[in-house]
């Protein structure tokens, strides 16, 4: 089922997230059936890596019966999946190959991909560009879906080589944005730094000798291995901080400083929205330097709001080798507006949230007042008189004035008020008014 493409509103923007074959969310099973390729041929976007499999790799004499599968998770409005470029495939399989028959599934919705037709219609002047294999705009942006791609070709009796490749996927998301523009009128921009020794670490240094974090002159680092807290909770090393600015950079030490280990995959979060930066691509495209380098760069943020930034090491069970997590500093640019009050804009969702919060506070305050009123003791009469119990008053009787209120005594049944007495004919009897009684008075006989 297809729907119209998402149109960002005033406080939203369309963001394209590239999920490459080296990203942490992408898996390839069985591992022996897949080859990771770093080609010398790059696309116009600089993409050089892809994963390749074939029926020959999957069903050789040593390993037989496992169907090659790649999968990843994504939360998108639109999704497109690409295979390796024709030039990259010809360089990786010079002996020749045929495009395999593929099945792609989004959760339980599966389709078959005509890969041969997809590569047949590639323009001749674009041999280095990844090829579009699949696209859909029918995804639910609020649901995280698992996408699985399978090679369906079994072993060939005539030794035909059926190949399948995965280059990357593009996930289009509608995300909130700050509605202002830069530079802000009357705004003064200044760059600030939170050094590594000002960050909050988990496990913290109060953990004692068991903390995995170590501090150097210019950075902090920790092995990317799970730690146990009080013998019950298992976690991975992480750090966090809160800053205010419209641009935030997370800087880490250069990989050249770690000769015997390499960076682990990391989960980076900004105000609760998380993603996995592609460490493999970052290392591949990085430059050798002895200074710190930018790992993550957030832009177009609300400059007047506090932003919480965090990073946590992640690791698969099948990963081998020593991995680390490290950080040197967080650099952010602040804006101070002078000369006038800068209006704070709230998206539609923010206005609704503020309204709900205000209503909730008013409801709680009203409930507290009602409970407090019910718990207050009844007011005492200044003359020391007590009200007549409600259980012995007629349900339809009018409220008596203080002059006609009777004092109750043990064993004495009080008559109804004088004004409530009627004759059998229904006419009221005219009684002579009595003076008010005190506590020492004797009830008159009836």
């Amino acid at each position: 089922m297809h729907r119209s493409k998402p149109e960002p509103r005033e406080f939203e923007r369309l963001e394209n997230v590239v999920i490459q074959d080296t990203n942490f969310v992408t898996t390839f099973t069985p591992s022996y059936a897949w080859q990771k390729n770093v080609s010398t041929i790059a696309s116009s976007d600089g993409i050089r890596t892809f994963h390749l499999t074939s029926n020959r790799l999957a069903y050789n004499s040593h390993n037989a019966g496992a169907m090659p599968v790649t999968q990843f998770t994504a939360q998108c409005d639109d999704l497109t999946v690409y295979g390796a470029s024709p030039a990259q495939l010809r360089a990786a399989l010079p002996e020749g190959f045929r495009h395999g028959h593929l099945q792609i599934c989004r959760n339980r919705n599966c389709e078959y991909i005509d890969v041969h037709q997809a590569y047949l219609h590639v323009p001749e002047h674009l041999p280095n560009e990844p090829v579009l294999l699949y696209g859909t705009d029918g995804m639910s942006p609020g649901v995280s879906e698992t996408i699985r791609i399978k090679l369906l070709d079994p072993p060939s009796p005539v030794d035909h080589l059926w190949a399948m490749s995965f280059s990357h996927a593009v996930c289009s998301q509608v995300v909130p944005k700050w509605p202002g523009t830069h530079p802000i009128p009357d705004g003064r921009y200044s760059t600030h730094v939170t050094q590594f020794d000002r960050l909050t670490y988990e496990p913290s240094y109060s953990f004692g000798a068991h903390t995995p974090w170590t501090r150097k002159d210019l950075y902090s680092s920790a092995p990317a291995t799970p730690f146990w807290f009080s013998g019950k909770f298992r976690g991975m090393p992480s750090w966090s901080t809160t800053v205010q600015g419209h641009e935030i950079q997370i800087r880490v030490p250069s990989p050249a400083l770690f000769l015997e280990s390499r960076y682990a995959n990391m989960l980076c979060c900004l105000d609760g929205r998380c993603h996995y930066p592609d460490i493999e691509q970052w290392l591949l495209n990085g430059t050798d330097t002895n200074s710190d380098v930018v790992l993550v760069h957030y832009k177009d943020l609300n400059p007047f709001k506090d932003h919480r930034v965090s990073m946590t090491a992640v690791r698969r069970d099948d990963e081998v080798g020593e991995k680390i997590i490290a950080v040197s500093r967080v650099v952010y640019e602040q804006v101070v507006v002078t000369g006038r009050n800068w209006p704070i804009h709230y998206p539609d969702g923010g206005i609704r949230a503020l309204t709900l919060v205000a209503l909730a506070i008013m409801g709680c305050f009203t409930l507290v007042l009602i409970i407090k009123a019910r718990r207050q003791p009844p007011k005492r009469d200044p003359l020391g008189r007590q009200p007549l119990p409600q259980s012995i008053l007629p349900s339809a009787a009018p409220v008596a004035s203080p002059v006609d209120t009777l004092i109750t005594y043990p064993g004495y049944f009080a008559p109804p008020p004088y004004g409530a007495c009627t004759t059998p004919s229904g006419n009221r009897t005219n009684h002579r008014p009595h003076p008010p009684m005190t506590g020492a008075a004797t009830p008159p006989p009836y």
Side-chain angles (χ1 to χ4, degrees):
M1 178 178 180
H2 295 275
R3 57 181 176 85
S4 59
K5 293 182 70 64
E7 293 294 336
R9 295 179 295 179
E10 180 183 1
F11 299 101
E12 296 176 333
R13 61 184 174 89
L14 189 63
E15 181 180 67
N16 292 327
V17 179
V18 180
I19 305 173
Q20 296 195 230
D21 64 312
T22 52
N23 196 282
F24 180 76
V25 301
T26 309
T27 59
F28 300 89
T29 55
S31 57
Y32 60 81
W34 290 89
Q35 291 180 346
K36 177 183 174 182
N37 293 266
V38 181
S39 177
T40 57
I41 302 172
S43 68
S44 58
D45 296 329
I47 297 177
R48 297 169 50 197
T49 63
F50 64 95
H51 272 66
L52 179 68
T53 188
S54 65
N55 60 339
R56 189 177 298 173
L57 287 173
Y59 302 99
N60 57 26
S61 58
H62 301 287
N63 304 290
M67 182 179 296
V69 176
T70 177
Q71 73 175 34
F72 58 91
T73 57
Q75 186 172 332
C76 315
D77 290 274
D78 299 341
L79 177 70
T80 51
V81 178
Y82 295 83
S85 69
Q88 291 173 339
L89 286 178
R90 287 194 295 267
L93 300 171
E95 70 275 15
F97 64 95
R98 297 187 178 188
H99 294 289
H101 301 82
L102 308 184
Q103 181 190 57
I104 185 168
C105 298
R106 291 175 28 230
N107 291 341
R108 295 184 179 181
N109 301 319
C110 298
E111 301 179 32
Y112 295 95
I113 304 176
D114 194 337
V115 184
H116 178 74
Q117 290 295 324
Y119 278 87
L120 187 64
H121 290 86
V122 173
E124 294 183 359
H125 64 283
L126 298 176
N128 298 336
E129 300 303 316
V131 177
L132 176 64
L133 302 180
Y134 172 81
T136 180
D137 57 1
M139 301 184 68
S140 299
V143 178
S144 180
E145 298 188 31
T146 299
I147 292 85
R148 295 168 55 89
I149 309 175
K150 303 178 183 179
L151 175 64
L152 302 179
D153 295 283
S156 173
V158 292
D159 202 26
H160 284 161
L161 181 63
W162 300 93
M164 164 187 170
S165 66
F166 176 79
S167 171
H168 67 282
V170 178
C171 175
S172 298
Q173 302 172 336
V174 176
V175 298
K177 73 168 184 177
W178 182 65
T181 58
H182 295 281
I184 297 175
D186 301 325
R188 293 185 302 168
Y189 289 76
S190 57
T191 302
H192 301 263
V193 177
T194 300
Q195 297 290 353
F196 67 93
D197 56 347
R198 305 287 294 179
L199 303 175
T200 302
Y201 294 92
E202 290 292 337
S204 63
Y205 281 93
S206 60
F207 211 67
H210 300 286
T211 180
W213 288 96
T214 58
R215 292 180 179 176
K216 303 294 184 180
D217 293 336
L218 300 175
Y219 63 89
S220 294
S221 64
T225 55
F227 65 88
W228 293 88
F229 180 75
S230 299
K232 297 180 181 180
F233 304 104
R234 186 184 185 190
M236 295 290 285
S238 65
W239 61 263
S240 62
T241 187
T242 300
V243 298
Q244 186 181 88
H246 75 100
E247 285 195 20
I248 302 175
Q249 292 183 359
I250 299 178
R251 290 182 168 267
V252 298
S254 171
L257 300 177
F258 307 101
L259 300 179
E260 299 180 358
S261 58
R262 59 181 304 172
Y263 274 102
N265 287 289
M266 297 171 224
L267 177 67
C268 296
C269 299
L270 174 69
D271 299 332
R273 294 179 60 88
C274 302
H275 76 289
Y276 297 92
D278 199 320
I279 299 298
E280 291 285 340
Q281 296 294 326
W282 177 71
L283 293 173
L284 184 65
N285 300 320
T287 56
D288 292 336
T289 177
N290 291 327
S291 61
D292 57 2
V293 291
V294 178
L295 177 62
V296 179
H297 190 182
Y298 298 107
K299 300 180 180 180
D300 298 327
L301 305 177
N302 188 337
F304 310 112
K305 173 188 174 183
D306 289 339
H307 300 286
R308 180 171 177 81
V309 185
S310 65
M311 178 182 289
T312 305
V314 292
R315 189 165 183 165
R316 295 193 184 100
D317 294 335
D318 58 350
E319 290 187 23
V320 296
E322 184 178 352
K323 303 289 183 69
I324 64 165
I325 176 176
V327 60
S328 58
R329 53 181 172 156
V330 176
V331 182
Y332 54 99
E333 190 172 41
Q334 284 188 336
V335 184
V336 178
V337 178
T338 59
R340 64 186 178 95
N341 294 325
W342 181 256
I344 300 178
H345 299 274
Y346 294 98
D348 295 341
I351 295 177
R352 288 193 294 268
L354 290 176
T355 303
L356 291 176
V357 171
L359 292 176
I361 294 175
M362 292 176 60
C364 294
F365 183 75
T366 305
L367 182 61
V368 169
L369 291 180
I370 294 175
I371 296 175
K372 185 177 180 181
R374 289 184 175 181
R375 289 181 177 179
Q376 286 182 350
K379 295 183 178 180
R380 295 184 176 272
D381 192 290
L383 299 178
R385 296 172 295 181
Q386 299 180 358
L388 191 67
Q390 296 293 328
S391 60
I392 64 175
L393 285 175
S395 59
V399 180
S401 65
V403 176
D404 295 328
T405 304
L406 299 180
I407 306 299
T408 58
Y409 292 88
Y412 167 70
F413 181 82
Y418 303 123
C421 295
T422 59
T423 60
S425 62
N427 298 324
R428 291 182 180 270
T429 59
N430 295 323
H431 293 277
R432 182 172 57 87
H434 289 270
M437 295 184 294
T438 62
T442 304
Y446 276 86

